[in-house]
Amino acid sequence: MGASYPHMFLILLLLHGANAASKAPAGPKWQTLSGRPPQVVARGGFSGLFPDSSQFAYQFALSTSLPDVVLFCDLQFSKDSMGMCKTGLTLDNSTTVSEIFPKMAKTYKVHGEDVHGWFSLDFTADQLIQNVTLIQNIFSRPSTFDGSMGMYTLDDVVELRPQQIWLNVQYNSFFVEHKLSTEDYILGLPKEFSLSYISSTEIDFLKNLGGKLKKSNTKLIFRCLNEDVIESSTKKTYGELLKDLKTVKEFAAGILVPKTYIWPLNKDQYLEPSTSLVKDAHALGLEVYASGFANDIVTSYNYSYDPSAEYLQFIDNQDFSVDGVLTDFPPTASGAIACLAHSKDNPLPPPGKDTRPLIITHNGASGVYAGCTDLAYKQAIRDGADIIDCNVQMSKDGVVFCMHSADLSSQTTAATAFVSKSSTVHEIQNKSGIFSFDLSWSEIQTLKPDLFSPFAQAGLKRNPKAKNAGKFLTLAQFLDMAKASNVSGILLEVEHAPYLAKRGLGVVDAVSSALTKAGYDKETKQQVFIQSDDSAVLSGFTKFKSFKRVLSIEIEISGASKPSLDDIKKVADGVRIHRSSVAQITGYFMTSFTDTVGSLQAANLTVFIGVLKNEFMNLGFDFFADPTVEIVTYSSAVLADGLVTDYPATAASYFRSPCSDMSLNLSYSILPAQPGALVHIAAPGALAPAAGPAPVLEPKDVVDPPLPPVKAVITAADAPAPGAADNTTSAASSSAGKSLLGAGIAALLSLSFLH
């Protein structure tokens, strides 16, 4: 029996459990074999968060998933025939067995190959349960709960009283060789050990067991390994066996297959057309379950790192639905089935205090296409963004255009095209770059976009086939596109105005002129937001009475003092804060929400939070590696007025779903993260001491000096030498323009979560 935590399960049910409420309204008929919703099968419980097949993993799966979630137990045996739940044949990669019994490693033949490690059949049940504890074996998942729980038996799983249990028999022939009979074990289970499913990769085992379970309601499932792997009894590959589904139907009620059997990927990790496997199996009365789902692995680029989008591809396409999914993250699968499926054509409710926050783009849909390109903006409009944004930059000859940064080297091909223009401008950044104000617009137009992937060094690239697609837009072109669209507003971010003025470029006047020329000074249908981290810039737009001004707070804060709020209200209607200012963080876990949003909204300031990114490395553990949970948290718990995101489609998908309306009191909903809930159940000393809170916003963080006058344009003949009063240093001959190597996955996790 695992370690006892008598109150933990109740706490999780209260904090994270599905809402006990009225029955959900009947939805469209599903394309599963039964016509009912697909099953969520929790592989080893909630193994994406807790050690696989642990007490917490199983209990948390029950408390956060749909009520009929199926608990999946990979069966192993101790020397004395106790059935244990543990994925993988050897124990050393996911338990402390090698530390406790360092001399007990052995080598066995498994399917004709030598396998070395620690095996359950070399230990008694007491040896394993009393001495060995479970650990997380995937680096990107928390190790916080390592060593706090013992191995779990099938008896322990049954005691949790789940509605359904799935027993997977992966290594029957191995255990039989060592005088441990899986058949005898299953047939000898008490009647109360009701197993809904038994799966195996071995056909002979399923045939033999099926003949002895004829009166049972247990479904036998043929589990297929990769297509080129040979099944031991038939000596055929699993791919060959599935070409004869009629024969499979003779000994199984369904099949469990890797998801690529259904939606194959090409060599570039993009989806190919689906196979006919699901429809063929359904035609014969066979159920189809797909395996291999997890939020924290690299899948097809088609999903834009949104795990819910992947589930929907399998359960909510126009042709078919699988009958269930085997997943490490059962809450995400539950949310996809109960909330997001069958809602893609729903209208977005209008944004407002009682409905939802604004969906605000960050350089357009910059998770899909290079930021600030026509394609990124068009995608954002299709995806349902309310506000599209333009980060305003200026060329040397005064053309105003949209670009993420004045430094063109990271998101364009400028680093190779204009390396001789490299310089360091300390008033902009402390590293060298190739700056827009050093190039003419005609030179900038020769550049190609370069889709920026913030987690590329960890293998998380964004849409590589569109890496250099799209074209850059002038501000005038951006405004024309916005006017012709159905967006409810635009946001223009103005930065570096004091420095540009010294260079003879008046960005405030240029933006004002463009807005007036486009008719936005008289616009009534679309709201204009002007955003800047410079209070003097915002003051420059006070003449436009209908515009909303947003102060960008670039530092991490935990609240705002009364004087700072008074100063903000003199120049702005709202603020944009970083995600790190919303919650107190300890070791990638939230411990509490800060007072930041509350103090700002109490002063009648709107609050935008950003930047949201779908990549799991950008998400703290409380969000379950699921970007939708972060969206739910900021919208329904923090009550943000706007969410700034690289992936507007993910936000729109949630807000189209019935679960985004908490007043509906549905039987299941996606709930916000609860700060402190996971920290509460961590073993003492598992987390480092919490850091102190971030500082409170003060007037010095808000008030900027007036903008300097715009200098007269200096001709080339009169230009100052490099390194003169403009604080610019040439870097063409240095190596400073080269990309820095990342410090590894851990550093990326830290940086992404904090910023």
Side-chain angles (χ1 to χ4, degrees):
M1 180 83 61
S4 178
Y5 293 82
H7 304 299
M8 191 276 294
F9 191 32
L10 176 61
I11 291 170
L12 295 182
L13 282 169
L14 292 172
L15 291 178
H16 292 277
N19 298 329
S22 59
K23 187 176 181 180
K29 181 177 173 65
W30 289 85
Q31 296 187 84
T32 56
L33 184 61
S34 67
R36 294 189 294 271
Q39 292 284 349
V40 176
V41 186
R43 190 190 68 84
F46 193 167
S47 54
L49 183 62
F50 298 102
D52 174 277
S53 304
S54 65
Q55 177 188 359
F56 284 5
Y58 283 121
Q59 290 178 329
F60 213 92
L62 288 174
S63 68
T64 60
S65 309
L66 285 165
D68 63 347
V69 63
V70 185
L71 298 189
F72 187 91
C73 169
D74 255 307
L75 184 66
Q76 293 207 41
F77 289 110
S78 63
K79 182 189 298 185
D80 46 354
S81 299
M82 174 65 77
M84 320 285 290
C85 297
K86 176 69 188 62
T87 301
L89 184 58
T90 59
L91 304 178
D92 38 301
N93 194 35
S94 54
T95 75
T96 57
V97 67
S98 62
E99 300 174 18
I100 306 300
F101 300 103
K103 298 180 179 180
M104 291 287 286
K106 290 189 177 180
T107 300
Y108 288 108
K109 286 281 186 187
V110 182
H111 300 313
E113 296 186 3
D114 288 341
V115 177
H116 181 79
W118 282 254
F119 296 81
S120 61
L121 54 73
D122 291 321
F123 302 89
T124 65
D126 278 348
Q127 282 180 304
L128 293 174
I129 293 170
Q130 300 300 326
N131 298 286
V132 176
T133 55
L134 299 169
I135 60 175
Q136 184 58 261
N137 64 343
I138 296 178
F139 183 76
S140 61
R141 298 175 180 178
S143 59
T144 309
F145 310 102
D146 286 3
S148 61
M149 292 167 283
M151 292 185 67
Y152 228 42
T153 66
L154 180 60
D155 301 55
D156 295 329
V157 176
V158 171
E159 285 185 10
L160 297 177
R161 300 187 182 280
Q163 290 189 24
Q164 301 182 88
I165 295 175
W166 184 313
L167 194 66
N168 183 58
V169 180
Q170 193 86 357
Y171 301 102
N172 172 69
S173 58
F174 173 76
F175 287 111
V176 168
E177 287 176 15
H178 297 277
K179 313 303 182 187
L180 293 166
S181 172
T182 310
E183 277 187 40
D184 291 348
Y185 174 79
I186 292 174
L187 296 173
L189 290 174
K191 289 184 178 180
E192 58 266 25
F193 280 40
S194 178
L195 301 177
S196 300
Y197 304 86
I198 298 174
S199 61
S200 180
T201 57
E202 301 178 14
I203 291 177
D204 281 352
F205 170 75
L206 291 172
K207 287 181 175 180
N208 293 336
L209 186 64
K212 301 170 184 177
L213 290 177
K214 289 183 177 179
K215 295 183 180 180
S216 170
N217 292 323
T218 301
K219 294 180 180 180
L220 297 184
I221 306 296
F222 178 37
R223 183 173 192 180
C224 297
L225 303 178
N226 290 337
E227 293 187 55
D228 58 350
V229 175
I230 295 175
E231 194 275 330
S232 57
S233 60
T234 62
K235 307 305 179 185
K236 294 181 179 179
T237 66
Y238 288 98
E240 290 177 294
L241 291 168
L242 287 196
K243 292 177 181 176
D244 185 8
L245 290 172
K246 287 184 179 180
T247 299
V248 174
K249 175 64 176 172
E250 294 174 2
F251 61 85
I255 55 176
L256 171 62
V257 297
K259 56 192 178 183
T260 52
Y261 275 66
I262 299 167
W263 284 100
L265 302 181
N266 64 24
K267 61 181 179 60
D268 297 317
Q269 292 295 106
Y270 288 94
L271 287 175
E272 294 186 339
S274 64
T275 68
S276 62
L277 178 62
V278 176
K279 298 179 80 170
D280 293 345
H282 283 178
L284 294 171
L286 277 169
E287 293 183 327
V288 181
Y289 298 85
S291 66
F293 291 91
N295 296 5
D296 55 355
I297 59 175
V298 178
T299 57
S300 169
Y301 295 118
N302 297 79
Y303 304 131
S304 296
Y305 296 101
D306 180 359
S308 295
E310 183 177 26
Y311 289 115
L312 294 176
Q313 188 77 17
F314 285 79
I315 66 172
D316 190 23
N317 65 73
Q318 62 184 3
D319 292 327
F320 62 83
S321 169
V322 297
D323 299 283
V325 291
L326 179 61
T327 175
D328 293 6
F329 290 83
T332 303
S334 297
I337 293 167
C339 298
L340 306 179
H342 306 142
S343 64
K344 62 184 176 183
D345 294 326
N346 292 353
L348 270 172
K353 288 286 186 185
D354 299 322
T355 53
R356 65 171 179 86
L358 289 165
I359 302 172
I360 305 168
T361 67
H362 178 243
N363 306 321
S366 55
V368 182
Y369 291 105
C372 299
T373 59
D374 60 333
L375 295 180
Y377 291 125
K378 289 175 182 177
Q379 185 69 45
I381 294 167
R382 287 195 298 270
D383 288 344
D386 300 301
I387 309 295
I388 57 173
D389 71 307
C390 170
N391 200 328
V392 175
Q393 308 299 337
M394 293 192 76
S395 66
K396 180 170 64 175
D397 48 351
V399 176
V400 190
F401 65 100
C402 303
M403 184 66 69
H404 170 67
S405 170
D407 180 5
L408 306 178
S409 58
S410 65
Q411 300 196 24
T412 76
T413 54
T416 55
F418 292 103
V419 65
S420 63
K421 299 276 190 176
S422 178
S423 63
T424 303
V425 182
H426 295 291
E427 294 177 35
I428 305 275
Q429 61 188 34
N430 291 322
K431 63 179 182 178
S432 66
I434 299 168
F435 296 97
S436 64
F437 43 74
D438 288 328
L439 299 177
S440 68
W441 176 240
S442 61
E443 289 176 315
I444 292 170
Q445 286 181 296
T446 66
L447 300 174
K448 291 182 179 180
D450 192 1
L451 176 54
F452 177 65
S453 300
F455 307 101
Q457 293 190 34
L460 307 183
K461 295 180 181 179
R462 293 179 171 181
N463 197 11
K465 72 177 182 182
K467 181 175 175 59
N468 301 119
K471 64 179 183 179
F472 301 122
L473 301 180
T474 64
L475 178 56
Q477 292 170 328
F478 169 83
L479 296 175
D480 288 344
M481 178 184 288
K483 277 256 183 170
S485 75
N486 61 353
V487 298
S488 57
I490 59 172
L491 184 148
L492 306 183
E493 183 164 11
V494 181
E495 56 185 8
H496 312 311
Y499 178 79
L500 291 174
K502 291 166 59 176
R503 296 290 298 262
L505 299 170
V507 65
V508 172
D509 289 342
V511 172
S512 299
S513 175
L515 287 166
T516 301
K517 188 174 181 180
Y520 273 97
D521 56 331
K522 300 180 178 64
E523 175 65 35
T524 57
K525 293 182 179 179
Q526 292 182 336
Q527 179 65 59
V528 177
F529 294 91
I530 303 295
Q531 179 174 295
S532 181
D533 61 353
D534 191 321
S535 61
V537 168
L538 298 180
S539 296
F541 287 91
T542 54
K543 61 183 178 181
F544 298 101
K545 302 303 181 185
S546 63
F547 292 4
K548 300 290 187 183
R549 287 161 289 149
V550 180
L551 181 66
S552 182
I553 306 296
E554 298 301 325
I555 60 173
E556 183 180 337
I557 59 174
S558 60
S561 69
K562 178 65 165 58
S564 71
L565 294 170
D566 293 339
D567 285 332
I568 293 174
K569 294 179 70 173
K570 293 174 184 176
V571 297
D573 306 285
V575 297
R576 197 293 306 266
I577 60 173
H578 288 295
R579 298 157 59 245
S580 57
S581 294
V582 175
Q584 180 76 17
I585 307 299
T586 299
Y588 313 119
F589 292 95
M590 291 194 297
T591 56
S592 63
F593 288 129
T594 67
D595 189 43
T596 302
V597 175
S599 61
L600 292 167
Q601 290 180 334
N604 292 320
L605 293 165
T606 58
V607 179
F608 300 158
I609 299 175
V611 175
L612 278 62
K613 299 176 174 67
N614 283 2
E615 289 89 345
F616 67 88
M617 294 186 68
N618 192 55
L619 301 167
F621 293 134
D622 299 86
F623 298 130
F624 304 162
D626 184 351
T628 299
V629 175
E630 184 178 35
I631 290 165
V632 175
T633 302
Y634 295 154
S635 60
S636 65
V638 178
L639 302 178
D641 300 289
L643 302 179
V644 184
T645 175
D646 288 355
Y647 295 94
T650 302
S653 176
Y654 170 68
F655 292 124
R656 285 193 178 97
S657 78
C659 293
S660 66
D661 186 350
M662 294 293 180
S663 68
L664 291 180
N665 202 29
L666 300 174
S667 58
Y668 182 87
S669 193
I670 305 170
L671 297 185
Q674 299 288 335
L678 294 178
V679 171
H680 177 83
I681 60 174
L687 289 171
V696 170
L697 192 70
E698 298 292 353
K700 64 181 175 60
D701 306 314
V702 173
V703 180
D704 295 291
L707 293 178
V710 178
K711 273 189 177 183
V713 177
I714 301 172
T715 65
D718 298 327
D726 67 351
N727 204 19
T728 303
T729 303
S730 172
S733 61
S734 75
S735 61
K738 296 180 181 178
S739 299
L740 296 176
L741 290 176
I745 288 179
L748 280 167
L749 267 169
S750 175
L751 290 172
S752 63
F753 187 69
L754 292 175
H755 298 290

